[in-house]
Amino acid sequence: GGRRPPPPPPRRSRSRTLERADLTSLQPAQEGGLARRAAVSVAAGTFFFCFAATCFGVPIRSLLDTANLGFFFSTLVAMPGACLLTEDLGQWKRSYATMKPQNTAERVCSELFLCSIAGSWLGAWVVPLDWNASWQRWPIPCFLGAVAGNLAGSAWVVRWLGRAQHKQEEQDRRRRKYESGARQKKLKEGAEDAPVCNESNWWMFM
């Protein structure tokens, strides 16, 4: 019969693509303007955090404390973006708004942002309780929660990157082993197909 068509390439999941494709590109952005990106991102984050906190019921008289928390939180989550992302607004949108990262740098920023905001949100739960503790005043619990969430996110990111790096090295080792075996097999087949000198064809080797 006719030759069978080659099988389609295996489909790779998006998470597996992130694990393998962009580990070597996880480095500080080569574009200039790091200070500008940091200043703009921290300022925008502080304003957005103050606006959101006010909409959620934080009194206006606590605006200074809210601004301090907003500045601290924005510095915590925006500095990785300033270091790893470029000035492309699409990267910042995928990392901090839509949460749909397309490479390792964007995923690192998204994970740190989500963990930090989750920790700050959980810390806010103790603010309205009647414990009358000094650390319970706004916005101290949110400070502590943001730091705890950021540390947890950093630990998860380091573990994820380590596992992805190990998996990539294992796949590279298997690929090199396969290529070496295929090369040796090809050489062996070539040696078997080579003509052998005998009494009838000795003149061919002169």
Side-chain angles (χ1 to χ4, degrees):
R3 296 181 58 186
R4 295 182 179 180
R11 298 181 60 184
R12 294 187 299 174
S13 63
R14 183 163 156 264
S15 60
R16 182 174 298 179
T17 302
L18 285 178
E19 286 182 359
R20 175 164 176 79
D22 300 317
L23 286 176
T24 57
S25 64
L26 186 61
Q27 56 185 352
Q30 297 298 323
E31 284 191 9
L34 173 61
R36 180 173 62 252
R37 290 197 301 272
V40 171
S41 59
V42 170
T46 303
F47 174 79
F48 177 79
F49 188 89
C50 292
F51 176 77
T54 303
C55 291
F56 276 99
V58 177
I60 300 296
R61 63 177 181 273
S62 302
L63 182 61
L64 181 60
D65 293 333
T66 306
N68 288 334
L69 176 60
F71 177 79
F72 174 80
F73 184 84
S74 300
T75 304
L76 203 63
V77 301
M79 289 306 297
C83 294
L84 298 176
L85 305 180
T86 64
E87 295 184 358
D88 180 16
L89 294 180
Q91 286 189 326
W92 292 83
K93 181 180 179 181
R94 291 190 298 267
S95 301
Y96 294 102
T98 61
M99 301 301 166
K100 295 180 179 179
Q102 295 183 357
N103 55 49
T104 302
E106 294 176 6
R107 183 170 181 179
V108 168
C109 296
S110 296
E111 298 294 345
L112 293 179
F113 172 69
L114 290 175
C115 292
S116 299
I117 201 170
S120 182
W121 178 74
L122 290 175
W125 280 65
V126 302
V127 173
L129 301 179
D130 56 351
W131 295 347
N132 297 323
S134 58
W135 54 268
Q136 196 179 351
R137 294 179 53 189
W138 169 265
I140 297 177
C142 295
F143 271 105
L144 300 177
V147 172
N150 190 269
L151 290 176
S154 300
W156 186 90
V157 165
V158 169
R159 181 175 178 271
W160 171 67
L161 290 176
R163 293 182 60 185
Q165 181 68 26
H166 176 74
K167 187 174 182 179
Q168 179 173 341
E169 292 175 353
E170 181 67 19
Q171 291 177 350
D172 291 341
R173 186 186 65 81
R174 292 179 179 177
R175 177 180 54 81
R176 289 192 298 267
K177 183 178 179 181
Y178 172 79
E179 292 176 352
S180 177
R183 192 180 303 112
Q184 292 178 1
K185 183 178 180 181
K186 186 176 181 180
L187 292 175
K188 184 177 179 181
E189 292 177 351
E192 292 177 352
D193 296 337
V196 180
C197 179
N198 51 43
E199 294 180 357
S200 62
N201 64 355
W202 59 271
W203 55 269
M204 296 176 56
F205 295 87
M206 295 183 64

